Amino acid sequence: MSAASDPLVILDGGLSNALEDRGHDLSDALWSARLLRDAPSEIAAVHRAYYRAGAMVATTASYQASVVGFERAGVDRAEAERLITSSVHLAREVRDTFPGRLVAASVGPYGAMLADGSEYRGRYGVSRRVLHDFHAPRLELLASAGPDLLAVETIPDADEAEVIVELLAELDLPAWFSYSIEGSHTRAGQPLADAFAIPGAVDQVIAVGVNCCAPEDVLPAVRTAVAVTGKPAIAYPNRGEAWNAVARAWVGDGRGPAEFARGWVEAGAAYVGGCCRVGPEDIRLLADATAHSRPPVLPA
C-alpha cells in the first residue's frame, strides 16, 4: 500500500485530560462518562475545541460508559441507556455546526468498566459470553444513536477482539479498531500480526491500528497493521507517559503526535490523532504538521 493511497483524517485527542484541564475531577469509576450526567455541556465544549483545532472526528464520551457501570454508580437502567446514547447526540449537535466533520462512537474495552487498570493488561478471567453480553447492548445503543462510525479502541486482548468483531459484523456501520499495545505485542501479550488479522478480516472495519500506547511503538505497529490487513492504519497514541492505576494519575514526560506523524503517514496511517494527555493544542500542531501530506477527505 503506497503512502498516498488513502486520504488523511485528523482525529481528536484525549477527552479526559481536556475535561480535567477545564477543572473537572474524573477520579471516580465512571471517569469522563460521569459528565454525561453531570455536565454534558462541558463534553460538548471539548468536542468543539478539537474541531476548532483541526480535528475532523469527535470521539464520543462513551469509552467508559456502560449499562452495568452506570448501574454500579446508582443509575437505573433506563437512564443509563439514555446517557450512553446522549454521548452520540452531544457530539452530533456540535458536529452539525462544523460542516464536513464526523462523530465516532467510542467503544472501550471491558476492562475500562472495571476501573482498575485492566484495560492495560487484558486477560480478565471472564468467559466469551460475559464479554459478549457486556459489549452487545452497548454497541446496539451507540449504533442506534446515529454516529458516523464506531471507534473500537484501547482493546488490550485479541480474545476480546474476537468477540467484538463478531458483533461488528452484525451492524451496518463502519468502524475503526485499535489495540492498546506494548512493543510488538498487545497488552495481553499476543503478537500484533495475529491480533491485527482479527479485525482486518471484517468488512465493517475500515482501519486497524493502535492507540493509548507510547508514540515510539506506533511506527512498527502501523507497518505491521498495513502489511497484515491491507487496510489503512490508525494511530493515536498517548504522550508516552505511564498510567499509575493506584494513584489514578499519569506519570513521566511525553511528546505529542506532531513529532512523529509524518513517518506514520508514510507507513500507511490514514487516521492520525492522540489519546491520553494529548490536547487541542497538540491536535492543532498535528494538523499543521501533516497539512501537506495528503488532502483531508472523509471516509465513505
Side-chain angles (χ1 to χ4, degrees):
M1 179 176 295
S2 68
S5 61
D6 296 290
L8 179 63
V9 177
I10 300 296
L11 309 178
D12 58 6
L15 177 64
S16 61
N17 51 277
L19 289 168
E20 288 171 337
D21 288 345
R22 294 176 65 87
H24 296 282
D25 178 5
L26 305 180
S27 59
D28 61 280
L30 287 175
W31 206 30
S32 56
R34 178 180 61 80
L35 298 191
L36 290 170
R37 177 189 64 191
D38 297 345
S41 64
E42 286 293 281
I43 293 172
V46 171
H47 291 325
R48 193 171 297 112
Y50 278 124
Y51 280 144
R52 286 173 175 163
M56 301 192 71
V57 181
T59 309
T60 64
S62 51
Y63 172 84
Q64 199 125 348
S66 67
V67 170
V68 64
F70 276 122
E71 287 180 331
R72 288 180 178 181
V75 178
D76 67 43
R77 175 170 289 270
E79 178 64 1
E81 292 176 348
R82 187 195 70 78
L83 290 171
I84 291 169
T85 57
S86 77
S87 68
V88 177
H89 298 153
L90 278 170
R92 287 183 58 182
E93 288 173 5
V94 178
R95 177 205 63 190
D96 289 347
T97 66
F98 289 85
R101 307 301 173 90
L102 295 172
V103 168
S106 174
V107 180
Y110 176 82
M113 178 270 297
L114 301 177
D116 63 357
S118 292
E119 70 262 49
Y120 303 109
R121 299 190 301 268
R123 309 283 82 184
Y124 308 124
V126 300
S127 68
R128 289 175 62 94
R129 172 52 59 183
V130 169
L131 294 174
H132 175 280
D133 291 349
F134 172 78
H135 284 295
R138 183 169 59 151
L139 282 166
E140 291 172 1
L141 283 168
L142 290 170
S144 73
D148 297 295
L149 70 165
L150 296 169
V152 182
E153 53 184 359
T154 327
I155 305 303
D157 197 320
D159 291 349
E160 184 173 19
E162 290 178 349
V163 173
I164 296 172
V165 299
E166 289 175 0
L167 294 168
L168 292 178
E170 300 172 3
L171 298 174
D172 185 23
L173 196 64
W176 77 59
F177 199 108
S178 61
Y179 285 95
S180 175
I181 69 168
E182 188 167 7
S184 60
H185 292 74
T186 67
R187 293 282 185 167
Q190 298 111 341
L192 287 184
D194 295 340
F196 289 145
I198 296 167
V202 178
D203 290 342
Q204 285 84 347
V205 175
I206 60 174
V208 177
V210 296
N211 76 291
C212 207
C213 59
E216 293 81 3
D217 285 345
V218 171
L219 183 56
V222 164
R223 289 171 174 158
T224 300
V226 172
V228 168
T229 70
K231 296 182 178 184
I234 185 164
Y236 55 113
N238 57 39
R239 293 183 63 86
E241 299 150 321
W243 174 250
N244 185 319
V246 176
R248 297 192 63 79
W250 291 93
V251 296
D253 297 322
R255 299 160 68 186
E259 296 186 37
F260 305 90
R262 285 181 180 271
W264 304 340
V265 171
E266 290 171 0
Y271 301 80
V272 177
C275 198
C276 298
R277 308 294 293 164
V278 174
E281 178 59 16
D282 293 306
I283 297 303
R284 185 189 68 77
L285 293 172
L286 173 64
D288 290 346
T290 58
H292 302 295
S293 296
R294 287 174 286 183
V297 301
L298 305 182

